[in-house]
Amino acid sequence: MAQKIRHLLGLSGGKDSSALAVYMRDRVPEMEYFFTDTGKELPETYEFLDRLEAFLGKPIARLNMDPDPHSNRDFDHWLTLYGGLLPSSQVRWCTVNLKIRPFEEYVGEDKAYNYIAIRADEDRDGYKPLKTPSLRNIEPKYPFKEDGITKEDVFRILEESGVGLPDYYKWRTRSGCYFCFFQRKSEWVGLLEQHPDLFELAKEYEKFDPETGERFTWCQGESLEELSQPARIAQIKANTEKAMASKKTAKPNRRLIEILTDVHEDEDDEEPCLICHK
């Protein structure tokens, strides 16, 4: 008897993976949806997942979160194991331990198709297994690439479905932990203004060694204390507004969220983790 193939679609809480879930709902009725919870998500992310779950008509499996809080393998659990070392673009232990490993454990040895929300207008790679090649049992699928779905189509899919965008898109254009080190400076300002309590919690993770002068901060070269100074906030906002005005002039008939997304993408020096931000 042939082994049953599972169909899996991971949700990050972002626009692309959510649009893919909407797009695939009636195309693959047996699809399993999952979300790997870091324990440090924005409240808007959880609210959006509940809305998406209602549209899909089936549960979204929440990985990492055990009913017993002492058994949770969330961000703080792994931070302790790494001796307080904050993740960074050079040391992305959070992606490996909070996203990829839980996913592979969820699949086990089953044969599975993993549906990934890379669009037709993107040039990037998908999920890279941690397992050795001989044990790989997860095959990636790229429906958006195959069907020519672009960023503009993603916004349209979410709007027409009635699911819409997460509320955090008013000030942040990526999903992920509220203190993700890939956040742009304007998004940190947004966190400060929208969730000052979470901003303060993020600050508590930063460390300074008075003996060596070494600093462990979320933003390279700048602490959250420095970033939160009124003059610095005004400078960041002015830069963002100027960039948005330029983008709007170049292409005037676009949604504000599309303009903000383009501005943020122009700020990126490094490619973020696909599994966290799609």
Side-chain angles (χ1 to χ4, degrees):
M1 183 176 178
Q3 183 185 14
K4 179 183 176 181
I5 299 179
R6 295 170 67 185
H7 296 262
L8 306 170
L9 198 160
L11 295 159
S12 69
K15 70 181 190 308
D16 292 334
S17 61
S18 300
L20 182 60
V22 171
Y23 188 74
M24 300 302 297
R25 184 188 68 170
D26 299 324
R27 289 173 170 81
V28 183
E30 66 271 34
M31 187 76 78
E32 299 177 47
Y33 304 95
F34 67 93
F35 172 69
T36 46
D37 196 336
T38 65
K40 303 297 177 181
E41 311 293 335
L42 289 165
E44 293 96 327
T45 299
Y46 295 120
E47 293 165 4
F48 182 69
L49 289 172
D50 290 343
R51 192 158 80 232
L52 186 58
E53 197 171 54
F55 176 86
L56 296 173
K58 59 172 60 177
I60 297 171
R62 313 294 173 103
L63 310 187
N64 293 337
M65 293 295 104
D66 193 281
D68 178 2
H70 298 292
S71 300
N72 285 343
R73 294 182 297 174
D74 61 5
F75 178 87
D76 288 335
H77 165 83
W78 289 105
L79 182 65
T80 299
L81 291 183
Y82 277 83
L85 173 67
L86 293 181
S88 66
S89 57
Q90 289 76 39
V91 186
R92 304 185 190 188
W93 60 255
C94 49
T95 303
V96 172
N97 293 296
L98 287 163
K99 297 292 181 177
I100 299 177
R101 288 193 193 281
F103 166 58
E104 293 187 347
E105 290 173 6
Y106 178 64
V107 178
E109 296 302 317
D110 295 340
K111 174 68 177 176
Y113 292 136
N114 179 31
Y115 293 79
I116 299 172
I118 295 180
R119 306 185 310 265
D121 55 348
E122 292 184 291
D123 181 19
R124 61 187 303 179
D125 297 323
Y127 152 74
K128 296 182 177 64
L130 299 178
K131 298 179 179 180
T132 59
S134 62
L135 295 177
R136 289 180 185 175
N137 55 312
I138 303 170
E139 181 180 337
K141 296 283 186 181
Y142 303 97
F144 280 173
K145 273 194 171 294
E146 294 169 5
D147 296 348
I149 302 296
T150 64
K151 181 165 58 178
E152 184 176 341
D153 296 318
V154 162
F155 286 115
R156 176 182 52 78
I157 289 168
L158 290 173
E159 285 179 0
E160 292 179 355
S161 69
V163 172
L165 290 166
D167 286 343
Y168 66 71
Y169 266 84
K170 296 172 183 175
W171 52 277
R172 169 178 166 154
T173 57
R174 280 199 194 129
S175 52
C177 298
Y178 65 80
F179 47 54
C180 180
F181 51 84
F182 277 115
Q183 279 187 106
R184 298 85 165 195
K185 298 299 176 71
S186 61
E187 293 175 319
W188 279 111
V189 171
L191 179 67
L192 173 61
E193 295 179 340
Q194 299 295 323
H195 297 288
D197 56 331
L198 297 182
F199 188 89
E200 289 301 315
L201 289 174
K203 278 174 61 176
E204 290 177 9
Y205 284 101
E206 296 188 323
K207 298 290 184 290
F208 304 88
D209 189 329
E211 294 184 4
T212 65
E214 193 171 8
R215 309 196 320 164
F216 302 91
T217 60
W218 293 116
C219 303
Q220 187 173 1
E222 185 172 28
S223 71
L224 294 186
E225 179 63 33
E226 293 165 340
L227 183 145
S228 63
Q229 297 305 305
R232 180 64 174 128
I233 291 173
Q235 180 186 44
I236 292 169
K237 285 185 171 183
N239 290 341
T240 300
E241 289 169 5
K242 181 179 179 181
M244 288 189 69
S246 176
K247 292 285 185 183
K248 188 174 182 179
T249 300
K251 294 182 179 179
N253 299 318
R254 291 192 301 161
R255 307 170 183 86
L256 283 176
I257 183 59
E258 291 182 77
I259 296 171
L260 181 60
T261 300
D262 284 354
V263 168
H264 282 166
E265 288 177 353
D266 285 350
E267 294 176 9
D268 294 334
D269 296 323
E270 297 174 283
E271 192 172 271
C273 305
L274 174 76
I275 199 167
C276 298
H277 294 292
K278 287 303 285 177

